[in-house]
Amino acid sequence: MDFLNQVTRNLFFTGKGGVGKTSVACASAVALADRGKNVLLVSTDPASNLDEVLGTRLGQTPTPVPGVDRLWAMNIDPEEAARAYREKMVAPYRGVLPEAAIASMEEQFSGSCTIEIAAFDEFSQLLGDASTTAVFDHVLFDTAPTGHTLRLLSLPSAWDGFMSNNSTGTSCLGPLAGLQAQQKLYQQTVRALGDPAVTMLVLVTRPEAAALREADRTCGELADLGVNNQHLVVNGVFSAVDSDDPVAVAMSRRAEVALNQMPRRIAALPRTSIPLAPRSILGPTVLRAFAAGADLIGEKAVQAKSGPLPSLNELIDQLAANGSGVILTMGKGGVGKTTLAAAIAVALADRGYPVLLSTTDPAAHLADAVDGSLANLKLSRIDPVAETASYSAEVMNTAGATLDEKGRALLEEDLRSPCTEEIAVFRAFARAVEDGRNGFVVLDTAPTGHTILLLDAALAYHREVTRQTSAMPPEVELLLPRLRDPEMTRVLLITLPEATPVHEAAKLQEDLQRAEIRPFAWVINQSLTPLSVTDPVLRSRRAQETAYIREVVEQHAKRVALVAWQLDTPVGLERLRELIHGEIPAFQPS
């Protein structure tokens, strides 16, 4: 990892979900600590898996990492941060204001925007207030998947601008006094992000077209935010050792083609390439070897024999039985939710059903995945910018219609707050679910943390929207009952046969069950288990799949479908159909 030779005090690791940000961030932290530096590693991801990779339980404060001297780590837990923030705002008024007023304040601080600003408050202390982390030589941030990261990084400017322009003293977060007290800190955070001598942004990607496109988009948007000190890390680069192994040759060729066609903007960045690891990167010993580029094959596991699991096509037969409904693909970023959502939509359309394929993911690539058209398949995307503009205009035309000039100005200021976007996107999500009454709606949802925040917003939406307008769309009132109705909504948990994706999906299942939403099935994607491989790296990876497939079948899922790794990229109608039916086409070198 040569970028560590010219490392700044602050390092951010970001990129499309599933590219290995946490592995690279943890390996970098271990390497710097082994060089005698005091290092703090922080996760700002609502669905953090830092604990599992480092092999220790973390909390909201820096915790020493066993086995690595000079390394501390912590998670910024959005829910816990929100509870602490809410109490900080409300506590001074307890015993001063009536109980009814206190209850009203607590209600106002219970929305998803409070969670966002509370987590950012913690983040700003670490980045904007140097005294908070003065004992550390380096602070590394393992950030959330790209959409959340960009929102997090834009918040300093968003909240700073909102506070500067707001003259009412109120916002969706209640009184602005609490935010204004932090304004100087937020301004310092903006300066730290944009100072190339202080902060480096490490864009982590994989040698795959979609991941490289996402890295390119992120590169441009970060530059627009003033973050220009960027380094590209291409993780998981595979070169075939055994040229007689068609899977290895196909995987190697796909990586080569993707890298040769890399967008110019990121191709111009300084770059580090990391080989595909033959095993899960867990624990300090493996992290050290990973950082040093050592051989990790030493895996002697033997692939266990087991009965065949159902194909995706068999699962789709069960999904189609009702003739309509909502199908949600959910899971950790990078597990193939978009591809599988597209494949399911194509299969249902081929069966003659009307299908809407849509996404709530800010980094959506649905059109790229389908790359074709079917008469009864429609594609859409919930665009945050368009939805926010539409929602704001509607509120001004309804709630604002009877207000005087001063009242309209107050409402316009309120609508400029960053959380208006969350409300607008959530309302569009509710409309998409409603369409499932008359046909199939397949929703490619955002990565786990964002998805849960989006679903949780149902509980806070009513009190927020009625603060701005008395209207409550019926599709919003009915959303949670529809999500909880197994005849209406089928949730598919998508995972890879690897430690972190399986355990993230298990945590997501627990969260959904607490919300009375029970997943319909699990889909284990991109598996090498059904394939014959001879390359040593791929043999090692295939052998390690057995334990995680067994864990899903025996501990987590009532229904399971297994999807093999495809020799050709599953893009376009024909390739998606091959994936659905479990066909493994012969690889055709280009």
Side-chain angles (χ1 to χ4, degrees), residues 11 28 55 106 121 212 303 345 360 373 450 483 490 493 532 560:
L11 275 172
S28 299
E106 289 178 332
D121 214 35
L212 290 164
Q303 185 180 15
T360 61
S373 61
H450 182 270
L483 292 177
R490 306 287 179 85
L493 292 180
S532 176
V560 182

Side-chain angles (χ1 to χ4, degrees), residues 311-363:
S311 68
L312 184 59
N313 192 49
E314 293 172 71
L315 181 62
I316 294 171
D317 287 339
Q318 299 176 53
L319 293 171
N322 285 358
S324 66
V326 179
I327 298 167
L328 301 177
T329 58
M330 302 178 72
K332 179 179 170 64
V335 297
K337 294 186 301 295
T338 299
T339 298
L340 289 174
I344 292 166
V346 168
L348 292 170
D350 282 345
R351 285 164 166 79
Y353 296 106
V355 181
L356 171 66
L357 174 60
S358 188
T359 183
T360 61
D361 192 335

